[in-house]
Structure formats: C-alpha cells, structure tokens
Amino acid sequence: MGVLYLCLVIIIGIISAMIFPDKQVEMKWFYIFSLAVMAGLTYNVYDYDVYESQYYASRFFEWDYSFYDSILYGYSRDVAYLVINKISYIANLDYVEFRFIISCIFIYLFYKGIFNFTSEISVVFVLYIMHPFYQDVMQVRNFIIEVLFLWCVSIYTSKKRYYRIKTMLLLIVSTMFHSMSILFFPLLLIDKVEKNQYLIRIVKIFAIIGICMPLYLGVVQNNLSILGDYMLLVTEDSALSHYHGYLGAKINYGPYLVWGYTLFSLYLSYKLLQLIKKKYSYSEVKIRFSKITYYFMVYATLLLPLSCLNPNIIRFVRNLNILLYIVIAMYLTTVSSRQRIVIFMACILAFFAIGFAEGYYNIGLYVLDTFNMNYVFELLE
C-alpha cells in the first residue's frame, strides 16, 4: 500500500509540474502531508531500532553531557538531537509521535527553503522522492542537517546583513545534530576562494586527484584493510572496532558508485550554471545559488579519495541533491513546454536510477519495505 501511495504522489507531482506549472505552490500541503506520513509513521525500517533506542535512552540524560555516558546509556552523541529527544520524552511523547512531529516540522522547513528560490515545488519534490527521500526516511538526523544546510545556503546567498555570522551559527547548530555537518563549513569560504587564483589552482589539483580515484582505489583499500587489522592488534578499545569496519572493508563497487554519482552531479551542475547565467542574467540571487551548487559539487570531488575508506561519503553528495534539484527547477521555467517535459522526465529517470543503485547497494530490495511498513497504510489495507 505504501509503495502504491508513493507512486500516486509521484504521478500527481508530474502532472502538476507538466500540465499545471503555475499551480504548483497550491500543492504544498499535499506534499508536506504525504511526505510527513510516509516518513514519520514508518516503523521497523533500516536504523529504526537505533533511533528508537536512543530516544528512550534519553531519559538517562541529566543535562550534563558526557561522551562516555552516551556510550554507557546508549543515548545520542549529538547534543541538539539528544536535547529534543529528552524534551519530547519529558513531554510524554512516544517515539512514533516524536518521529511524526519532527517529520512535519522539517518537511515544512524543507518546503520553505525550496520556495526561497523557486515556485516549481512539484519539480523539486518529485526529484527528491526519486532520490534521496527513502534514505532520509531511515536516517532522521541526516534529513535534519540536509534541511539546515539548505537554509544555510539560503542565508548565505541572500547576502543580507550579518549573513556570514547567521550562516556560521546555523552550521554550528547543524553539527550538534550530526557531526557530518562539519563538511558544510567551507560554505563560509566560497567568497574568499573564488577571488583567489592561488586557492583555485590548489582546488583544481585536488579535484583531479579525486576524479582519478578509480586508478588508486584498489591499492588504498588493500593497505587500509591491513591497517585496520593492525589497529585491533595493538589496542583493546572496543570503540575502535566501529572504525575497523570501515578500514577493513572489502573492495566492491560502492566507491565506484560514489565516483560516478559525484562526477555526474558535477557535470550537471556545471552545465546548469552556464545556462542559468544566460537565462537569468538579471537575477544575482539565482546565479549566486547556482554557483554555490557547482562549487559544492567541485568540493565533493575533493572528498572522493575518502570513499576509498568508506563509501558512506556518498551521504555528503546526496545532501547536495536538493541544491541541484532547485537549479534544475529554475532552468525548467526558461524552456518550452516540450523541452520541459523531455528534460524533467530525463532527470526523473536519472535520479531514480541513482537512488535505486544506492538503495540496492545498501539494503537490497528491503528498500520497498521502507514505505510499506507504515501505521497509516496498514490501517487502509
């Protein structure tokens, strides 16, 4: 039932984007409600038990955070997420209620972040459902920082008063939900880097190293596997066993998926930037947003060597997707109806393929159960 409803949302979204492009904003509550139900009322999906146990373990948190206590009691190590867990637990919310409320709040903020740049919300939501919606259903904290990063870009793009300070503060808050947010801090350096030719040359060199990642992947992974085994020999620290899992990873197609996905996104963002510059020569905000999207895709290529250590670096590229979808939506408003249909459908197929490849790589066909295991849809069966 859940998969059928997901398909219905996609079909309605495509019709809205193609036949009624001027009415897309009126669909906002349909998307917000649908995604909140599909994301917030699922159960027993991948990582669900981890988030649920962390939520109920928050009752042991006594407002004096300790990393070792988080290991001892099992509550979240990310302070901001831990605090909202604790407050919700004190308010006598069970985990299902907490998850649904969080989904509603952040999906609404997600919509508002999109609407800051484009009214083509059906285009963006359909592409988002293609990829990476199902991952965000499973990884709640990752979705939160994805939304917060969109707002960071929105603030930084606006160049309004104190925009750098506001962006920095929001990035700091984001790191308190997920430590991966540290990777977003180069956003604050964009204005400096694009004016410095020396730094641009350095970025190009490291980008080339990242692009050439398949040439040295095998050698790096073999040596990391040896390092991981040695690490366990010289220490009995159980906390390090988690990282040994990364260092000892077998060579598989995971890093190649990250590599192909990143280069595709890089090429697409570059082409779109050139087109946006021509079509929106009068709009500094849209051009600046498109530049930031492209710059972050370049930045993602610098991180490609890390995929030799752990293919989960794909999460970073995945979190940039929403920026790319907004740029695609901005471009679609400048083309003919026929071109719009062809480009939009091509994007749907491309990102569906990427989403399926990543989903199948991570959890196999279990990805379908992500939407079927839902309290609402079970009642309707």
Side-chain angles (χ1 to χ4, degrees):
M1 182 67 182
V3 173
L4 291 177
Y5 185 75
L6 178 70
C7 293
L8 177 64
V9 173
I10 293 170
I11 292 170
I12 292 174
I14 292 173
I15 293 172
S16 170
M18 295 296 96
I19 302 178
F20 306 105
D22 297 332
K23 304 288 185 180
Q24 294 182 63
V25 176
E26 297 175 9
M27 299 290 294
K28 65 181 180 182
W29 292 114
F30 169 71
Y31 297 125
I32 293 170
F33 173 77
S34 296
L35 269 62
V37 168
M38 288 189 285
L41 294 177
T42 55
Y43 67 92
N44 289 341
V45 295
Y46 196 74
D47 276 350
Y48 185 91
D49 57 337
V50 175
Y51 282 104
E52 184 180 35
S53 64
Q54 286 181 346
Y55 178 77
Y56 289 112
S58 67
R59 67 184 184 274
F60 298 113
F61 176 52
E62 298 296 339
W63 307 104
D64 52 344
Y65 177 80
S66 165
F67 176 78
Y68 291 101
D69 282 348
S70 70
I71 297 175
L72 177 64
Y73 295 112
Y75 52 69
S76 176
R77 301 176 188 179
D78 299 289
V79 178
Y81 187 70
L82 172 59
V83 168
I84 62 173
N85 275 187
K86 180 71 173 182
I87 293 172
S88 301
Y89 184 81
I90 292 174
N92 290 320
L93 297 177
D94 63 27
Y95 179 64
V96 175
E97 294 168 330
F98 165 77
R99 185 182 174 99
F100 181 65
I101 291 171
I102 288 296
S103 295
C104 289
I105 292 171
F106 280 93
I107 289 171
Y108 177 74
L109 291 174
F110 188 59
Y111 153 72
K112 292 294 289 184
I114 294 166
F115 191 65
N116 286 339
F117 298 101
T118 180
S119 60
E120 298 266 339
I121 63 169
S122 292
V123 171
V124 178
F125 271 108
V126 168
L127 292 176
Y128 171 67
I129 290 172
M130 293 297 105
H131 184 63
F133 176 53
Y134 89 87
Q135 286 98 339
D136 289 342
V137 170
M138 298 181 289
Q139 298 164 347
V140 178
R141 290 179 303 122
N142 189 79
F143 175 62
I144 291 174
I145 67 168
E146 187 177 350
V147 174
L148 293 178
F149 177 62
L150 174 59
W151 275 93
C152 287
V153 174
S154 179
I155 294 169
Y156 196 79
T157 302
S158 70
K159 278 192 170 183
K160 292 181 180 178
R161 193 176 184 185
Y162 304 124
Y163 73 95
R164 286 193 179 91
I165 295 175
K166 292 176 184 176
T167 303
M168 182 177 66
L169 291 175
L170 189 54
L171 283 170
I172 292 171
V173 171
S174 184
T175 61
M176 295 178 185
F177 279 100
H178 200 308
S179 56
M180 195 186 75
S181 293
I182 293 172
L183 295 176
F184 296 137
F185 271 81
L187 174 64
L188 299 168
L189 304 176
I190 283 179
D191 289 337
K192 301 292 183 182
V193 172
E194 68 176 350
K195 295 176 182 178
N196 191 312
Q197 291 301 315
Y198 177 73
L199 290 177
I200 290 174
R201 291 191 190 99
I202 294 176
V203 168
K204 287 180 178 179
I205 291 171
F206 280 96
I208 291 171
I209 293 173
I211 290 170
C212 295
M213 182 268 289
L215 299 179
Y216 52 80
L217 172 63
V219 175
V220 172
Q221 283 198 327
N222 285 332
N223 283 282
L224 286 174
S225 180
I226 295 171
L227 175 61
D229 294 337
Y230 177 74
M231 182 177 71
L232 288 186
L233 284 175
V234 299
T235 180
E236 297 180 355
D237 189 346
S238 59
L240 291 179
S241 62
H242 172 72
Y243 299 100
H244 171 262
Y246 294 157
L247 295 174
K250 301 296 182 183
I251 297 174
N252 48 44
Y253 78 83
Y256 294 104
L257 175 61
V258 182
W259 177 76
Y261 179 24
T262 303
L263 294 193
F264 170 74
S265 300
L266 174 65
Y267 175 77
L268 188 57
S269 64
Y270 172 76
K271 295 299 291 184
L272 285 168
L273 174 58
Q274 306 310 310
L275 293 168
I276 293 294
K277 284 180 177 179
K278 294 178 181 178
K279 303 289 186 177
Y280 287 101
S281 58
Y282 57 88
S283 177
E284 182 182 348
V285 171
K286 284 182 168 56
I287 292 174
R288 180 169 167 79
F289 181 83
S290 301
K291 281 184 177 180
I292 290 174
T293 302
Y294 170 64
Y295 293 154
F296 260 88
M297 292 305 176
V298 172
Y299 172 43
T301 64
L302 308 186
L303 301 179
L304 278 174
L306 296 179
S307 65
C308 300
L309 172 65
N310 181 9
N312 279 331
I313 196 67
I314 198 171
R315 290 186 185 183
F316 176 74
V317 189
R318 184 201 307 159
N319 288 338
L320 302 180
N321 265 20
I322 189 59
L323 306 185
L324 195 56
Y325 297 157
I326 291 172
V327 179
I328 290 171
M330 289 192 295
Y331 175 65
L332 287 180
T333 62
T334 68
V335 299
S336 67
S337 297
R338 181 176 295 179
Q339 289 176 314
R340 180 185 177 89
I341 293 172
V342 172
I343 294 170
F344 185 40
M345 295 307 296
C347 289
I348 288 174
L349 292 174
F351 287 103
F352 171 79
I354 291 170
F356 183 82
E358 185 187 350
Y360 188 78
Y361 169 74
N362 284 326
I363 58 175
L365 293 177
Y366 182 73
V367 64
L368 298 177
D369 293 330
T370 302
F371 301 105
N372 286 329
M373 291 190 289
N374 186 288
Y375 291 111
V376 172
F377 298 136
E378 282 195 350
L379 290 174
L380 298 176
E381 288 181 351

